[in-house]
Amino acid sequence: MSEDSSWRERLGLLLDYLDATDFSKIARRYFALNFFDGVLTMMGFTLGYYMVGGRDPHAVFGAGIAASVAMGLSGLVGALMTEMAERERDLHELEKSLFKDLGNSVIAKSQRIAAILIAIIDAAAPALGALMLAIPLAYPLVDLLGYDYAIATSVAIGLAALFALGSYLGSGSRRSMLKYGVAMLLAGISLAIITALMGVVL
Amino acid sequence: MKVAVVRVVFDVLKPRELDSTDLARSLCELDGVNLVNIVVREVDVRTETIRLIVEGADVDIDDVLDKLDEMGCAVRSIDSVTAKRQEEQ
């Protein structure tokens, strides 16, 4: 057996194990939850800043980017620690059942890879969601769009992203894509109303 | 004169996440192995007890044990070994 095919076989085995460890299900759940968090947080921040009278494009863009990075970093560290700890515990349980050390086995390697991949997804999802909304906020800085239009574009992208995420979840659960999409959209609209009210109160 | 091991029967405890087909395929790719048979004998919450039969022109038991170890399987015993004398041509 050649070295090349041996590597391919090992990789295939790792992927099979990843599949068996609920990796795809957990990754999908993490992505949806954190993408939603990222979009909604950024939308709340942008609208809140605008409603209380904030008109500085540098401030809103800079803070938006900083929030994206912070959410990404928080997701990476939080998910990595949690997943590593949980998967280590599972591995110890299995070792007890097998009366065997699994430290160098394919199972241990696939569990470590799963934890790292999930942490990357957990970091990328909220950062991506927030960044999508932060990018239009840079347009006034390069005179591509007026400040008010940039805010409106950012919010519109946020609402569209929420609808797309809802539809994706609906399609995955084989239920109505429209119903899930509208439910997510309503969450975004509720947030807009709350921040508008904040603008009046504060 | 050369004597080769042509059939070995193992009693193995394997994690349930590990698919029997994947295990059989991996073992079948070892040098000197032509046939692998797995029979599940007992199912537990996390593990399965299997009867593993490995056959081939020249089965290297150490290679099989290493592969099983790499895949997270615990060998409980070697229940049967068949060796064959191969006459020189």
Side-chain angles (χ1 to χ4, degrees):
Chain A
M1 196 166 51
S2 72
E3 195 71 9
D4 188 39
S5 68
S6 164
W7 263 104
R8 234 177 297 154
E9 187 225 330
R10 277 170 196 221
L11 187 68
L13 201 62
L14 267 175
L15 292 176
D16 286 337
Y17 255 119
L18 275 179
D19 214 26
T21 55
D22 274 355
F23 163 75
S24 53
K25 202 166 85 180
I26 296 170
R28 212 167 36 237
R29 195 173 297 166
Y30 266 105
F31 177 81
L33 270 172
N34 293 299
F35 184 79
F36 179 73
D37 268 356
V39 170
L40 224 59
T41 306
M42 191 62 199
M43 206 158 88
F45 165 72
T46 312
L47 273 174
Y49 179 76
Y50 186 80
M51 292 298 183
V52 296
R55 292 292 181 270
D56 181 0
H58 282 96
V60 74
F61 177 68
I65 293 292
S68 307
V69 174
M71 276 190 279
L73 197 63
S74 146
L76 184 75
V77 178
L80 191 64
M81 302 299 277
T82 311
E83 284 296 318
M84 281 286 192
E86 279 297 315
R87 282 165 194 274
E88 279 287 318
R89 203 173 68 174
D90 281 352
L91 204 64
H92 283 312
E93 291 288 322
L94 189 58
E95 282 178 336
K96 272 198 276 181
S97 302
L98 287 166
F99 308 106
K100 182 179 168 60
D101 174 33
L102 295 172
N104 290 320
S105 68
V106 185
I107 305 178
K109 284 175 196 156
S110 68
Q111 293 284 32
R112 279 193 289 270
I113 291 173
I116 293 167
L117 288 178
I118 286 174
I120 291 171
I121 290 169
D122 199 60
L128 179 77
L131 212 60
M132 274 169 59
L133 275 73
I135 287 169
L137 302 175
Y139 294 163
L141 301 176
V142 288
D143 291 330
L144 210 65
L145 212 61
Y147 180 72
D148 292 343
Y149 285 118
I151 296 282
T153 307
S154 169
V155 172
I157 288 174
L159 292 175
L162 288 177
F163 183 78
L165 178 67
S167 303
Y168 164 69
L169 291 176
S171 72
S173 67
R174 288 181 180 77
R175 289 178 191 272
S176 166
M177 286 169 68
L178 188 71
K179 210 161 82 179
Y180 271 73
V182 169
M184 283 279 186
L185 194 63
L186 282 176
I189 293 170
S190 313
L191 177 79
I193 293 169
I194 293 167
T195 46
L197 289 174
M198 275 171 60
V200 175
V201 174
L202 296 173
Chain B
M1 185 188 73
K2 191 200 173 204
V3 174
V5 173
V6 292
R7 187 175 193 268
V8 193
V9 180
F10 299 88
D11 184 24
V12 177
L13 197 61
K14 78 166 189 65
R16 287 195 68 185
E17 291 100 326
L18 174 62
D19 191 45
S20 292
T21 313
D22 293 333
L23 179 61
R25 277 180 194 278
S26 293
L27 290 168
C28 227
E29 285 178 11
L30 292 175
D31 288 338
V33 175
N34 295 331
L35 187 141
V36 173
N37 174 247
I38 293 174
V39 181
V40 178
R41 297 172 66 191
E42 209 178 298
V43 179
D44 215 329
V45 182
R46 296 179 159 274
T47 59
E48 282 175 353
T49 304
I50 59 168
R51 184 167 188 260
L52 169 69
I53 303 168
V54 181
E55 288 184 13
D58 188 6
V59 177
D60 186 331
I61 295 180
D62 288 335
D63 279 357
V64 177
L65 291 174
D66 285 348
K67 181 55 84 177
L68 287 170
D69 187 53
E70 185 195 327
M71 298 190 77
C73 298
V75 176
R76 296 210 289 209
S77 60
I78 295 176
D79 293 344
S80 161
V81 178
T82 309
K84 189 179 171 188
R85 191 168 80 177
Q86 290 166 337
E87 300 295 342
E88 303 230 352
Q89 296 294 312

